[in-house]
Amino acid sequence: MNKARGGSRLQKPQAATHLLLALVALVYLLPLWYALNNAFKFAEAISVQPFWLTRHSFTFDNIARAYGQLHFKTAFFNSALILALSLLLLVTLGSLAAYGVILPNNRAVRRLYTFFVALISVPPQITIVPLLLLLKRLDLINSFLGVAFVYAGMYLPFVIFLYAGFMRSIPKEIVESASIDGCGPFRTYVHIYMPLLKTITGIVLVIRGVSIWNDLLVPLIVLNKNAMFTLPLQLYIFSTSKVGQWDLVFGGTVLVCLPITVFFLAFQKSFVKGVMAGSLKG
């Protein structure tokens, strides 16, 4: 009887926790549902029934018109290219820098790593002005590579911290056996460390990829040509010119969010595995 009572007492807090988490999830999902159902609705129906989508109010016209007015193909290519360049720089430079930090064991390198970790607390917006001055000297304004360099400078400290933490958890016996087999430092990095850090790479791709795709500030400052605008920048210009036309604004919002949602779902397994591995190590 006592065991049964103890079990029921444990179930009550768990039920309350699940209810609280469900309410929090509902709060987060409500804006998503609001934008999604109004993206497929006539303009007149949005003001009458903003939270419900009926068969009579359903339409694809908003998506089709927003697709054309957003110059979706060009903007999508620009965003995808910037995303690919930025993530390539972050994963390559971040993992190499982390490997260079953990490889030697001396005080100077440890201080350098501490400096990298301290930079995580610096707001990325503070670094934009000096990075822009550097881009002007390198003639990289209105350049996709210039935008990618800005993102690399903003997010590298976090990526280095993440890779270094997990590289330290790899058993030294594996590295020593590789060196006995004739692997040099670079081959050890390529063939030993990076294959073991696929989940961490997945975390970097998801966390930083979502941030880069949704960012408006850096493209707004670095890119001045309409043909080079990213999807968030096109949506910003589009929404400011379509004030009151909520059917088109919601349709454009869904179009811009769709690619990064697919990207997140593609890498969510690596993201969850990496988070679970980090929690177990902690």
Side-chain angles (χ1 to χ4, degrees):
M1 291 293 292
N2 291 333
K3 290 183 178 179
R5 289 177 181 176
S8 63
R9 288 175 183 175
L10 289 174
Q11 288 176 356
K12 288 180 180 179
Q14 288 180 354
T17 303
H18 292 163
L19 179 62
L20 179 62
L21 292 175
L23 291 174
V24 172
L26 183 63
V27 170
Y28 276 95
L29 288 173
L30 190 60
L32 177 62
W33 166 249
Y34 187 83
L36 190 61
N37 91 91
N38 286 319
F40 298 94
K41 192 183 296 182
F42 292 108
E44 299 79 11
I46 293 176
S47 57
V48 177
Q49 289 182 325
F51 289 100
W52 302 105
L53 180 64
T54 63
R55 181 169 57 88
H56 300 289
S57 62
F58 182 83
T59 179
F60 274 111
D61 187 55
N62 303 336
I63 301 294
R65 286 193 294 158
Y67 181 89
Q69 296 182 33
L70 274 173
H71 308 288
F72 186 84
K73 286 184 179 179
T74 303
F76 174 80
F77 174 79
N78 297 340
S79 293
L81 182 58
I82 289 173
L83 180 66
L85 289 173
S86 303
L87 292 179
L88 180 64
L89 287 173
L90 285 171
V91 171
T92 304
L93 298 179
S95 58
L96 281 170
Y99 183 62
V101 165
I102 67 160
L103 196 61
N105 187 18
N106 59 66
R107 186 178 298 178
V109 174
R110 286 197 296 267
R111 288 180 178 176
L112 180 62
Y113 176 70
T114 304
F115 175 73
F116 284 143
V117 174
L119 287 176
I120 297 176
S121 61
V122 177
Q125 292 77 11
I126 294 177
T127 63
I128 287 180
V129 173
L131 283 171
L132 281 174
L133 295 175
L134 182 61
L135 289 180
K136 284 185 178 180
R137 291 189 176 184
L138 296 174
D139 197 23
L140 289 175
I141 297 294
N142 283 322
S143 167
F144 294 131
L145 188 60
V147 178
F149 278 140
V150 173
Y151 286 130
M154 290 168 58
Y155 298 134
L156 262 178
F158 172 77
V159 175
I160 293 171
F161 169 74
L162 201 61
Y163 271 115
F166 277 83
M167 282 182 177
R168 286 197 177 101
S169 66
I170 295 175
K172 293 182 179 179
E173 291 78 9
I174 298 177
V175 180
E176 290 173 356
S177 63
S179 62
I180 292 172
D181 291 336
C183 284
F186 185 73
R187 287 185 63 189
T188 303
Y189 160 78
V190 173
H191 297 291
I192 303 297
Y193 278 98
M194 290 310 294
L196 294 174
L197 295 171
K198 288 181 180 179
T199 54
I200 308 308
T201 303
I203 288 182
V204 172
L205 294 178
V206 170
I207 295 179
R208 294 285 68 110
V210 172
S211 301
I212 292 168
W213 183 273
N214 293 327
D215 184 62
L216 173 66
L217 181 61
V218 176
L220 184 63
I221 295 173
V222 179
L223 302 176
N224 301 319
K225 296 180 180 178
N226 293 337
M228 301 182 72
F229 285 174
T230 61
L231 276 175
L233 186 52
Q234 285 284 17
L235 180 63
Y236 169 73
I237 297 170
F238 176 75
S239 59
T240 53
S241 64
K242 303 292 181 183
V243 176
Q245 296 181 324
W246 300 116
D247 51 341
L248 290 177
V249 172
F250 283 124
T253 302
V254 170
L255 278 175
V256 172
C257 293
L258 184 61
I260 198 62
T261 303
V262 174
F263 178 83
F264 177 81
L265 293 175
F267 287 96
Q268 66 170 338
K269 289 184 179 180
S270 297
F271 179 75
V272 172
K273 286 180 181 178
V275 171
M276 293 298 295
S279 63
L280 290 174
K281 288 180 176 67

